[in-house]
């Protein structure tokens, strides 16, 4: 027969574990949800990924931000599920490849680091970008299977379900709300959006925010084919 004291100890231990786990989930849910909807050969998307989004990963801004990358952009899906991309077939291939990399590399920083490497040199990325990851076979197996098509169609559904609908790429949302072309103070907007209990990172200090804007002058690729700055 189990003693009452042991039963009480087990109950207390389970209660503490449940409470602690619940706190961890709550803290994770407090993070600002930053979603980037993009396409791989859009010049503005490449610039944003390589030059601007990096600030969320080479600092402690990732402690308050959950960054999600969604490659699809202004592509179209026909009635027979054929995907047509704004910048041609090569963009469709890269979108699918990056979708596979995002699936295989589950760590957000690893996902971003790999995608940034690809977007920095889309012609020669296979010789350089897998170094340090060791997942080349898994990513290629995904790309060469039906999984890549499934991932792209999932991204298509997510992109086309946006409310309001996306107008151009890069298209950035914070907690589901689009920023449109107001990306020059992205760090400031993330800092102001965060309402969690964790202390704000030093990048959110007024002195740090006043030093320089977050983004470069971007070129936006519109869903109707136009390109504007």
């Amino acid at each position: 027969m189990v003693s009452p004291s042991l039963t009480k100890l087990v109950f207390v231990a389970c209660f503490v574990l449940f409470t602690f786990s619940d706190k961890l989930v709550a803290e994770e849910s407090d993070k600002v949800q930053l979603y980037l909807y993009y396409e791989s050969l859009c010049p503005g998307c490449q610039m944003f990924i390589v030059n601007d989004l990096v600030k969320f990963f080479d600092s402690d801004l990732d402690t308050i931000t959950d960054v999600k990358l969604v490659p699809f952009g202004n592509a179209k899906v026909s009635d027979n599920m054929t995907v047509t991309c704004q910048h041609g077939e090569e963009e469709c291939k890269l979108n699918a490849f990056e979708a596979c990399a995002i699936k295989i590399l589950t760590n957000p920083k690893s996902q971003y680091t790999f995608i940034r490497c690809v977007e920095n040199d889309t012609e020669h990325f296979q010789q350089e970008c897998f170094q340090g990851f060791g997942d080349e076979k898994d990513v290629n197996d995904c790309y060469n299977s039906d999984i890549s098509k499934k991932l792209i169609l999932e991204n298509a559904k997510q992109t086309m379900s946006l409310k309001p609908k996306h107008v151009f790429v890069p298209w950035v949302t914070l907690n589901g709300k689009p920023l449109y072309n107001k990306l020059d103070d992205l760090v400031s907007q993330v800092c102001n959006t965060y309402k969690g209990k964790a202390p704000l990172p030093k990048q959110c200090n007024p002195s740090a925010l006043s030093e320089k804007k977050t983004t470069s002058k971007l070129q936006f690729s519109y869903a109707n084919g136009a390109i504007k700055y």
Side-chain angles (χ1 to χ4, degrees):
M1 181 177 179
V2 179
S3 67
S5 59
L6 181 59
T7 301
K8 182 177 180 181
L9 180 62
V10 172
F11 174 79
V12 170
C14 291
F15 177 78
V16 170
L17 179 61
F18 175 80
T19 303
F20 181 69
S21 300
D22 186 62
K23 183 178 180 182
L24 285 178
V25 173
E27 287 179 351
E28 187 68 23
S29 67
D30 283 341
K31 285 188 173 184
V32 177
Q33 301 297 306
L34 190 163
Y35 277 66
L36 170 62
Y37 298 86
Y38 73 99
E39 53 196 25
S40 57
L41 294 182
C42 152
C45 299
Q46 293 174 330
M47 181 180 292
F48 182 77
I49 290 171
V50 173
N51 298 333
D52 301 312
L53 202 57
V54 67
K55 296 183 175 73
F56 287 86
F57 292 95
D58 66 359
S59 68
D60 53 357
L61 282 167
D62 62 342
T63 61
I64 66 166
T65 315
D66 186 13
V67 178
K68 300 292 187 184
L69 305 173
V70 185
F72 180 76
N74 297 328
K76 307 292 183 184
V77 180
S78 68
D79 292 338
N80 65 357
M81 298 293 105
T82 298
V83 179
T84 304
C85 295
Q86 189 169 40
H87 297 91
E89 182 60 26
E90 187 62 27
E91 181 169 76
C92 281
K93 293 178 181 179
L94 280 172
N95 286 348
F97 193 84
E98 292 185 5
C100 281
I102 291 168
K103 175 180 174 59
I104 301 299
L105 304 172
T106 55
N107 178 274
K109 188 167 186 177
S110 296
Q111 292 173 348
Y112 169 73
T113 301
F114 183 83
I115 298 302
R116 182 175 187 260
C117 182
V118 174
E119 292 300 320
N120 194 48
D121 187 356
T122 55
E123 293 185 4
H124 307 100
F125 70 90
Q126 288 196 334
Q127 291 91 340
E128 303 175 5
C129 298
F130 280 107
Q131 295 181 16
F133 291 105
D135 295 284
E136 183 172 3
K137 182 180 184 303
D138 291 339
V139 175
N140 282 321
D141 286 349
C142 170
Y143 172 72
N144 291 315
S145 71
D146 293 336
I147 298 175
S148 60
K149 179 69 174 289
K150 179 182 178 182
L151 293 173
I152 283 298
L153 291 177
E154 288 175 356
N155 287 353
K157 182 178 180 180
Q158 184 176 348
T159 302
M160 292 187 287
S161 297
L162 285 168
K163 294 182 180 179
K165 292 184 177 297
H166 89 284
V167 181
F168 49 74
V169 289
W171 187 260
V172 178
T173 65
L174 293 185
N175 291 347
K177 297 180 179 180
L179 301 185
Y180 298 97
N181 62 348
K182 298 177 181 178
L183 302 179
D184 59 339
D185 61 345
L186 182 57
V187 171
S188 176
Q189 293 187 73
V190 167
C191 294
N192 291 332
T193 301
Y194 179 68
K195 305 301 179 185
K197 296 179 180 179
L200 287 171
K202 61 184 179 180
Q203 287 77 14
C204 293
N205 293 338
S207 58
L209 292 173
S210 64
E211 286 181 4
K212 58 182 178 180
K213 297 289 186 180
T214 302
T215 60
S216 312
K217 184 175 177 61
L218 293 176
Q219 165 182 307
F220 296 96
S221 294
Y222 280 68
N224 62 7
I227 296 177
K228 299 181 181 179
Y229 292 87

